[in-house]
Amino acid sequence: MTGTSTLAVIAMSSGIALICLRSSLLRRKVNRSFWQRPGRYVKWTGMGLLLLLLSACGSDTTPPPTPTITPLVLTVISQPNPTPTVASTDSTDWTTYHRDNQRTGYLASTPDAHGLTKLWGKPLDGAIYAEPLVVGNRVIVTTEGDSLYALDPTTGSVQWHTNVGVPVPQSSLPCGNIDPLGITGTPVYDPATGLVFAVAEVSGPAHILVGVDVTSGQVKVRRVVDTDGMDPRAHQQRGALTLANGMVYIPYGGLDGDCSDYIGRVVASRTDGQGALLVYRVPTPREGGIWAPPGASVDAEGNLYVAVGNGAITSGQWDHSDSILKLSPTLKLLDAFAPTSWASENAGDVDLGSQGAVLLPGNFVFSAGKSGKGYVLHANALGGIGGQVDAQDVCISFGGAATVGSTIFIPCTSGVHQVSVDASGNMHQGWQASGGIVGSPVVGGHTVYSLSNGMIYALNIDSGQVVTSLDVGEANRFATPTISGTSIFIGTLAGIVAVKIT
């Protein structure tokens, strides 16, 4: 389905014209994550819909309806049909998490590293948890201070800075460990409109989607993206935004500490900020967060693949948690997979939700998570419960993998691991990096880059051996590098660092 026809379906099916109002006080976000602490990691679990579900969460095991198209009162600042200001993305651009909608994290034209040198560092108004973007001669960075910046890639000088709200102090939330909580999920750039889209958690609390002009920093779209009665205090927007089908797709999960009710979901907004929001809600009474940093991957038909965390159900009928779900462009559930051990994995919090789904050639999908198992699935027939093509003991994985063709570089807690998938869908395990090199990898040329414990490592793609490394400063556990030409851009807890490949 094309973006145009998708919007037509949305308009006809909703039958509702929403009123656009100017406002700066909006709703807020939450998601399920694991964040870096020196020498260890801390588990982020989710919670949601506190006000609606508190009285029932202990006994109600009836799954709610699956996908819905949900009209709601929205607050929108929008200029219809924004004029594109940047028409193309060249070979050095990096416009979404891991560069493309397949989340490959691969830039073939990058020269291989023999050394790494710090070019510049820029302190900003908050920690950076999202992956930086590169659009033309701008590095786009978002912070937990609820700010977006455009920086010169050569010098780090600020080209523009736009603050979109007041971030939420951790003390005002039921739990969590990001303080303050602002923009956490990786933004996405839309070349058709020239806008950078991000979701900010702002005091209120509320989650807002903003579309900011990439050349000027002017806010052109602003709307609430909290839906269908969800409690914004209990939901965190951690996964990357995805641009496809003329829509921005926004995943939600819960806060660290599992302190409130929440239900994982994906929300979609048209890029012009108009019309009803689309919503898919995981049919579980509680949890089921869609929180992995890569967000949704997208196939050639515009369908989305998301990894879902553990849900509340631990026996009986499967609640579609601990899963890989395939959603249509309008967020209808098309297909699903779960391990046969989904019930015990839900009970033990060892689910598939910690790593994003990886799309591979040959119509295959790779998934791994907290159980230590890796799975290969058929993209056009995910298989339901236990319907995988291949399953092996691979590793415990958190974050976003990178791919080069059918070879996968997995962010394992025991060290980045290389695995290849053959034409029959069988896995073949290759090298594994040192156990201290665990960060979500990207690939430039024939070099794999991983950020771990404040160090950026360059690994030989064939052997996994360390070629060179550089200390860039403390960063969150899920920070992942961005490659552009001979530069690498890395978000830290203090700001951003640029590194030169030599």
Side-chain angles (χ1 to χ4, degrees):
M1 183 178 293
T2 66
T4 301
S5 61
T6 301
L7 297 180
V9 169
I10 296 166
M12 289 186 291
S13 62
S14 64
I16 295 178
L18 298 177
I19 301 173
C20 302
L21 302 173
R22 181 175 300 271
S23 174
S24 61
L25 183 61
L26 308 158
R27 313 249 325 155
R28 185 206 100 155
K29 75 177 187 307
V30 182
N31 204 315
R32 176 185 183 94
S33 298
F34 282 74
W35 305 109
Q36 171 124 355
R37 298 287 181 85
R40 64 188 181 94
Y41 63 85
V42 179
K43 183 177 120 181
W44 278 77
T45 54
M47 53 296 315
L49 297 177
L50 175 63
L51 298 178
L52 292 181
L53 297 179
L54 186 59
S55 63
C57 67
S59 59
D60 183 9
T61 58
T62 303
T66 302
T68 57
I69 296 179
T70 306
L72 72 165
V73 177
L74 301 172
T75 303
V76 179
I77 295 175
S78 138
Q79 295 184 358
N81 302 316
T83 302
T85 53
V86 175
S88 64
T89 58
D90 64 27
S91 62
T92 62
D93 280 357
W94 194 284
T95 61
T96 189
Y97 184 92
H98 276 199
R99 193 169 184 264
D100 51 45
N101 276 354
Q102 293 74 47
R103 308 312 197 196
T104 65
Y106 175 47
L107 191 59
S109 60
T110 304
D112 291 319
H114 301 285
L116 298 172
T117 305
K118 182 176 177 179
L119 282 175
W120 49 262
K122 188 73 174 178
L124 300 176
D125 71 354
I128 299 173
Y129 281 68
E131 186 176 34
L133 305 182
V134 177
V135 181
N137 65 341
R138 293 173 175 84
V139 179
I140 307 297
V141 187
T142 56
T143 76
E144 297 295 343
D146 272 341
S147 286
L148 296 89
Y149 290 84
L151 307 176
D152 184 281
T154 303
T155 66
S157 62
V158 176
Q159 298 175 340
W160 53 256
H161 167 212
T162 300
N163 181 266
V164 297
V166 177
V168 180
Q170 192 276 327
S171 60
S172 71
L173 299 174
C175 61
N177 65 356
I178 304 177
D179 192 13
L181 188 58
I183 300 174
T184 307
T186 297
V188 65
Y189 170 67
D190 177 19
T193 61
L195 301 182
V196 176
F197 290 95
V199 169
E201 185 148 347
V202 300
S203 291
H207 298 95
I208 59 169
L209 173 70
V210 294
V212 177
D213 186 279
V214 76
T215 61
S216 67
Q218 183 180 358
V219 176
K220 297 296 185 70
V221 172
R222 183 180 178 104
R223 74 182 301 181
V224 176
V225 284
D226 294 314
T227 69
D228 64 349
M230 63 183 275
D231 176 11
R233 282 173 28 92
H235 286 74
Q236 183 177 336
Q237 200 290 298
R238 176 61 186 94
L241 306 190
T242 300
L243 177 76
N245 312 306
M247 309 287 287
V248 179
Y249 296 94
I250 307 160
Y252 286 93
L255 291 164
D256 174 53
D258 206 8
C259 53
S260 295
D261 290 336
Y262 82 98
I263 295 177
R265 66 196 65 216
V266 180
V267 174
S269 169
R270 282 171 29 188
T271 56
D272 64 2
Q274 304 295 322
L277 296 174
L278 303 181
V279 181
Y280 172 79
R281 185 176 64 173
V282 178
T284 181
R286 184 175 181 271
E287 301 184 302
I290 302 172
W291 65 271
S297 302
V298 184
D299 66 19
E301 287 73 45
N303 300 311
L304 286 73
Y305 299 77
V306 294
V308 180
N310 60 294
I313 302 301
T314 57
S315 64
Q317 184 177 0
W318 175 42
D319 60 356
H320 284 73
S321 61
D322 185 21
S323 65
I324 300 298
L325 303 183
K326 180 179 181 179
L327 306 176
S328 74
T330 54
L331 298 184
K332 304 295 184 183
L333 179 64
L334 300 177
D335 204 354
F337 164 80
T340 55
S341 52
W342 67 267
S344 61
E345 291 183 2
N346 273 355
D349 191 13
V350 286
D351 52 85
L352 289 173
S354 60
Q355 184 202 280
V358 175
L359 304 187
L360 300 172
N363 250 348
F364 293 120
V365 178
F366 173 80
S367 173
K370 291 182 276 184
S371 73
K373 289 281 189 183
Y375 299 90
V376 176
L377 320 173
H378 277 301
N380 55 356
L382 294 180
I385 298 173
Q388 68 271 1
V389 179
D390 190 20
Q392 295 183 21
D393 291 325
V394 174
C395 70
I396 298 170
S397 176
F398 290 93
T403 62
V404 179
S406 294
T407 300
I408 313 159
F409 303 92
I410 307 168
C412 300
T413 58
S414 52
V416 171
H417 192 13
Q418 180 203 55
V419 173
S420 61
V421 175
D422 65 25
S424 299
N426 296 311
M427 285 179 275
H428 303 273
Q429 299 191 42
W431 56 258
Q432 188 155 29
S434 162
I437 304 174
V438 299
S440 299
V442 294
V443 183
H446 297 87
T447 304
V448 179
Y449 298 92
S450 174
L451 178 67
S452 302
N453 296 311
M455 300 286 293
I456 179 71
Y457 294 91
L459 309 176
N460 182 289
I461 198 171
D462 297 318
S463 67
Q465 293 299 306
V466 175
V467 176
T468 185
S469 62
L470 181 69
D471 188 345
V472 295
E474 188 179 3
N476 81 83
R477 182 171 192 257
F478 287 143
T480 186
T482 296
I483 305 171
S484 180
T486 59
S487 297
I488 304 172
F489 302 102
I490 301 163
T492 73
L493 297 183
I496 183 169
V497 173
V499 173
K500 180 76 171 178
I501 299 171
T502 59

